[in-house]
Amino acid sequence: MRILVLGGDGFCGWPTALHLSARGHEVTVVDNQSRRRIDEELGAGSLTPIATIEDRLDAWREVTGRTIGFHDITVGKDYDALLALLKAWSPDAVVHFAEQRAAPYSMKSARHKRYTVDNNLNATNDILAAIVESGLDIHLAHLGTMGVYGYGTAGMSIPEGYLTVKVETPDGWAEREILYPANPGSIYHLTKTQDALLFQFYARNDRLRITDLHQGIVWGTQTRETRLDPRLVNRFDYDGDYGTVLNRFLMQAAVGYPLTVHGPGGQTRAFINIQDTVRCVELALSHPPERGERVKVMNQMTECWQVRQLAQMVAGLTGAEVAHLPNPRQEADENELCVENRRLLGYGLDPITLEDGLLMEVAEIARTYAGRADLSKIPCVSCWNAERAAAAAGAG
Ligand code: NAD
Ligand code: USQ
């Protein structure tokens, strides 16, 4: 297949581009490098030393003999360039990672809220509009989030995108399938719920073939391909805005920083290893929906854990201390979560779990690069509202 990877310089996009290229697909990356500029804005870079995109692509060619193309295009702004690329290159599939993906970053200030909404919604609408205008039959696979569902399910398993409801009609009770009600917990997560409506509209109106992968929190760093050369290393975010919980705990353990559990740590979340992320995208691309079919939604996660369980696990492995801090987020301190993921398992996903020993490998990466860490960037200082900010200030 010919595959365009939007956001292919990022944490999930880069290893996905390499994986697809290694599997023999023709791959081109589109990325405006906004994530690297946000590193500068926050004064917090990747723990691993990531090469420039040019060096990454040269290294891939040297190591494997395969070429990955690159275009510096802002999806959502440079519409003509995006459309021209689709028409000139005629991809079979587009994988869409090109969004601002950190919930704390999206909640930092009005500017960050506006940037996240503007960037994410325009990126999604532009790629959809460009596919329609190109006249090509391109399958779009988007990286969505488990967070569109909210995290409280009252004992029910979260289905893959759609909920069967009973409605009263003049002829009695009837069953209907609706898009699962959206319940976002941040402006970032909110943009993903809006993306879902854009997909629903374009699938119905223009018969576009669309897959929305509702992904859990990704942990890990390296994949088979990023391990091939130091210049291919994946990014590892640990700062209070972009670092996700499990990778942060592993890094904190490596530098001797007490693990930063928000509140009692009863938040249950869905997780997936980065190696499984790249495999899931490949599986999704090999099982596209038909033209005219509704949006295909798959829950891209492999296991659920509570934050405090993760902290205990990392503390058990490394001897780290655990700290309970005021929660800067407006979220439930305790929730249960159970998720359906039968579709990707049915296509052959063989999940990597936390028990598989990979945790130690990630801890190893964190230890190797611990000297690059700036400990002042670890605290989560983005608060969801004034009340949360006051509680954090009181505790500080
Ligand atoms: P990332 O920030 O590392 O990568 C996103 C990439 O997209 C960056 O390289 C950035 O420069 C680029 N980009 C952003 N906006 C762009 C635009 N308008 N035009 C061109 N390029 C643009 O994020 P990630 O962790 O790789 O996440 C990728 C996708 O996966 C996101 O949509 C995110 O919502 C989703 N996701 C990530 C996780 C996770 O734990 N990392 C979990 C679930 C879902
Ligand atoms: N948390 C802590 N301590 C920390 C960091 C986080 O207790 O030091 C808690 C948070 O309060 C939250 C949970 O851990 O309850 C998860 O936080 P996170 O930052 O790991 O994940 P989140 O903000 O939900 O976002 C990440 C990705 C996002 C993706 C989402 C998938 O950044 O792109 O969409 O995971 S999901 O969580 O399933 O919605």
Side-chain angles (χ1 to χ4, degrees):
M1 268 189 260
R2 263 191 182 182
I3 305 166
L4 197 60
V5 180
L6 310 180
D9 186 41
F11 170 62
C12 298
W14 173 242
T16 301
L18 297 187
H19 179 74
L20 296 172
S21 171
R23 304 287 289 188
H25 298 292
E26 270 184 75
V27 177
T28 285
V29 161
V30 164
D31 201 297
N32 66 354
Q33 308 198 52
S34 50
R35 181 68 193 84
R36 291 179 187 252
R37 284 192 293 280
I38 291 174
D39 274 348
E40 285 163 24
E41 172 195 339
L42 299 174
S46 163
L47 188 68
T48 48
I50 51 170
T52 62
I53 184 70
E54 291 79 13
D55 288 349
R56 281 178 152 186
L57 297 173
D58 285 348
W60 184 243
R61 196 166 40 246
E62 282 171 33
V63 171
T64 64
R66 296 183 180 282
T67 304
I68 295 180
F70 173 66
H71 295 266
D72 184 344
I73 292 174
T74 297
V75 187
K77 288 222 159 39
D78 307 333
Y79 179 80
D80 293 344
L82 183 67
L83 177 62
L85 177 60
L86 291 187
K87 284 183 172 167
W89 202 58
S90 195
D92 301 295
V94 173
V95 188
H96 175 24
F97 294 99
E99 295 184 84
Q100 191 301 99
R101 72 104 173 126
Y105 184 84
S106 77
M107 299 298 289
K108 279 178 100 64
S109 71
R111 176 173 77 76
H112 295 90
K113 290 174 187 173
R114 297 179 65 233
Y115 166 72
T116 303
V117 168
D118 179 36
N119 186 66
N120 294 4
L121 296 189
N122 282 316
T124 299
N125 189 47
D126 271 20
I127 186 58
L128 290 162
I131 292 176
V132 173
E133 193 174 349
S134 74
L136 296 163
D137 182 19
I138 297 171
H139 172 210
L140 178 72
H142 168 253
L143 271 289
T145 175
M146 284 301 303
V148 296
Y149 301 116
Y151 307 104
T153 58
M156 186 187 88
S157 244
I158 293 186
E160 304 205 69
Y162 299 91
L163 184 68
T164 308
V165 293
K166 280 204 166 146
V167 290
E168 198 170 6
T169 72
D171 306 321
W173 287 91
E175 284 197 347
R176 298 276 187 276
E177 284 223 302
I178 57 166
L179 208 53
Y180 194 95
N183 186 15
S186 73
I187 289 289
Y188 152 71
H189 287 99
L190 177 99
T191 63
K192 296 286 182 174
T193 69
Q194 303 286 304
D195 283 348
L197 292 180
L198 288 167
F199 296 140
Q200 197 183 34
F201 177 78
Y202 279 92
R204 202 181 49 230
N205 192 65
D206 301 284
R207 295 164 56 83
L208 292 195
R209 294 183 299 131
I210 302 170
T211 300
D212 202 0
L213 298 166
H214 287 175
Q215 186 168 239
I217 301 172
V218 182
W219 64 277
T221 314
Q222 298 281 61
T223 59
R224 268 190 291 282
E225 290 79 25
T226 64
R227 279 189 201 97
L228 291 175
D229 187 285
R231 291 168 295 168
L232 299 175
V233 73
N234 199 11
R235 59 177 304 132
F236 186 123
D237 294 304
Y238 67 92
D239 63 280
D241 286 324
Y242 275 88
T244 50
V245 65
L246 180 51
N247 278 7
R248 270 168 66 76
F249 287 172
L250 290 162
M251 174 275 174
Q252 291 164 1
V255 298
Y257 195 100
L259 310 185
T260 54
V261 174
H262 292 163
Q267 307 91 322
T268 311
R269 295 290 182 271
F271 289 84
I272 183 166
N273 181 264
I274 186 72
Q275 182 70 58
D276 283 343
T277 289
V278 306
R279 173 83 178 122
C280 285
V281 173
E282 183 194 359
L283 290 170
L285 294 180
S286 359
H287 297 87
E290 300 289 329
R291 232 175 134 70
E293 199 178 319
R294 71 181 182 185
V295 178
K296 185 170 183 176
V297 181
M298 296 195 268
N299 292 338
Q300 185 161 308
M301 52 69 69
T302 59
E303 51 189 336
C304 288
W305 292 95
Q306 275 185 317
V307 167
R308 64 170 168 261
Q309 290 176 317
L310 297 177
Q312 281 152 10
M313 201 182 300
V314 173
L317 276 173
T318 62
E321 269 179 59
V322 177
H324 287 271
L325 307 172
N327 194 342
R329 305 185 184 204
Q330 186 65 40
E331 63 182 1
D333 280 344
E334 301 274 340
N335 69 280
E336 52 175 87
L337 185 65
C338 193
V339 182
E340 278 300 339
N341 63 348
R342 274 184 247 174
R343 282 190 127 157
L344 286 161
L345 294 178
Y347 293 151
L349 176 69
D350 180 15
I352 292 168
T353 62
L354 266 62
E355 267 100 13
D356 287 342
L358 262 183
L359 264 190
M360 276 321 282
E361 190 189 319
V362 185
E364 198 47 54
I365 285 265
R367 269 196 293 270
T368 304
Y369 297 109
R372 287 171 48 84
D374 176 349
L375 305 198
S376 73
K377 299 298 174 189
I378 292 179
C380 290
V381 291
S382 172
C383 291
W384 261 230
N385 53 40
E387 207 179 310
R388 295 280 168 170

